[in-house]
Amino acid sequence: MLNALLLTVIVGLFFLIGILIPIIFKNKKQLLLITTALTLIIMLYLALFDLLPEIIEHIENWNNGIICFIMMIIGCLTLKTLDIFIPEHHHDHHEKNDNQEEHNNHLFHIGLITAISLMIHNLLEGISIYITGISDFKIGLIMALTVGLHNLPLGIEVSASLNSKKNKISKFIILMLLIISSSLGALSLYLLNTELNTELNTILEGILLSLTIGMILYIALFELFLEVKQNLNQKETKIGLFLGFLFSLLLFFM
């Protein structure tokens, strides 16, 4: 059980590597353009080719399907509600050439809601990796590495966005929670001494996955896409889109 628990630490290490890259990268503007475009593609891949198939597996009847669809909507609305409570959030600052502070607020906003949705996602991933690792450590290791590869560009994006603000304490707390989120999911089962054949209730897991995909689609379509669209003429954005497609193909064939 302890070895399976340690697998989730690997997932957190990929996040840590991604978080450290923006700290040592000199040209923050170029990095943000690349990672925003890259993360848009990775987010869409994660939602459509990773989470959605998992949700479909949990839909045993029409009632479950309707519940999952409703929870996707709730996931979107949850982040839309956060938009209301996180001030100074606008998408038109580039076009109006408004002050840098407003732009930084927008970047911090994207980083924050992305981190929140990824924490929920990683809690579930951590549980899945832990259960798989108990059954077959090798398969659990491959699963942890695959999830870690997802997390590398996402960690870069979150870290680069949060670096736009000078509040180091709040940034540190958010990033630490993100790094340990996978382990927290697994640790909850470990402390409860959950047996090998015990899994989350099917409909409950489907609900949580549906909430997550709703949040991720909201970030991809209503946050990252608008940023990419406004900077589509920049070569860094084109590089990010290309790397995103390349990275997604790698994940698809793993």
Side-chain angles (χ1 to χ4, degrees):
M1 281 190 177
L2 185 58
N3 287 339
L5 180 62
L6 291 175
L7 287 176
T8 59
V9 176
I10 295 175
V11 179
L13 287 177
F14 274 90
F15 257 129
L16 179 60
I17 293 170
I19 287 167
L20 291 176
I21 289 175
I23 297 175
I24 61 176
F25 201 92
K26 293 183 179 180
N27 195 321
K28 298 292 192 294
K29 183 178 179 180
Q30 285 184 339
L31 180 64
L32 275 169
L33 289 173
I34 293 172
T35 56
T36 299
L38 188 155
T39 305
L40 169 64
I41 303 301
I42 296 297
M43 282 280 198
L44 291 174
Y45 174 87
L46 181 61
L48 300 177
F49 295 98
D50 192 344
L51 293 177
L52 187 58
E54 282 193 59
I55 292 171
I56 292 174
E57 287 182 7
H58 289 81
I59 298 177
E60 298 176 346
N61 52 58
W62 278 104
N63 289 336
N64 288 359
I66 293 172
I67 291 172
C68 287
F69 178 75
I70 292 173
M71 297 313 294
M72 287 183 194
I73 301 299
I74 291 176
C76 288
L77 292 177
T78 298
L79 290 190
K80 181 60 181 176
T81 302
L82 280 178
D83 277 347
I84 299 172
F85 292 101
I86 298 177
E88 301 176 280
H89 167 49
H90 305 284
H91 286 286
D92 56 355
H93 46 267
H94 290 304
E95 298 174 353
K96 294 182 178 180
N97 293 318
D98 289 337
N99 61 69
Q100 186 63 36
E101 181 63 22
E102 181 183 341
H103 179 52
N104 289 343
N105 286 333
H106 178 223
L107 292 175
F108 186 85
H109 167 91
I110 292 177
L112 178 59
I113 63 173
T114 301
I116 291 171
S117 64
L118 290 177
M119 285 176 200
I120 298 173
H121 171 251
N122 288 341
L123 284 170
L124 290 172
E125 289 282 15
I127 291 171
S128 299
I129 292 170
Y130 177 71
I131 292 173
T132 304
I134 292 175
S135 176
D136 189 317
F137 183 81
K138 183 178 179 180
I139 294 177
L141 177 60
I142 294 172
M143 186 177 178
L145 291 172
T146 303
V147 173
L149 285 173
H150 280 94
N151 291 342
L152 184 60
L154 298 175
I156 295 172
E157 167 64 19
V158 172
S159 179
S161 298
L162 294 181
N163 273 335
S164 62
K165 297 283 281 185
K166 295 182 179 180
N167 193 333
K168 294 183 179 180
I169 296 177
S170 61
K171 182 177 70 175
F172 177 79
I173 293 173
I174 293 168
L175 293 177
M176 284 301 101
L177 287 174
L178 192 57
I179 291 171
I180 66 173
S181 54
S182 294
S183 296
L184 288 177
L187 186 62
S188 64
L189 292 186
Y190 178 78
L191 294 177
L192 290 171
N193 294 317
T194 306
E195 295 179 1
L196 175 60
N197 60 357
T198 301
E199 296 184 10
L200 285 176
N201 177 274
T202 299
I203 186 61
L204 175 60
E205 188 172 0
I207 287 172
L208 293 174
L209 287 170
S210 299
L211 275 173
T212 303
I213 196 174
M215 290 180 173
I216 286 175
L217 285 175
Y218 178 88
I219 293 167
L221 299 177
F222 296 102
E223 299 288 348
L224 297 176
F225 175 74
L226 295 177
E227 283 285 316
V228 169
K229 182 181 177 183
Q230 290 176 0
N231 295 286
L232 198 55
N233 61 332
Q234 302 290 326
K235 67 176 182 180
E236 290 86 1
T237 298
K238 295 175 183 178
I239 291 171
L241 290 172
F242 175 75
L243 290 175
F245 281 114
L246 200 64
F247 209 86
S248 296
L249 284 174
L250 173 65
L251 292 170
F252 184 78
F253 288 107
M254 282 188 66

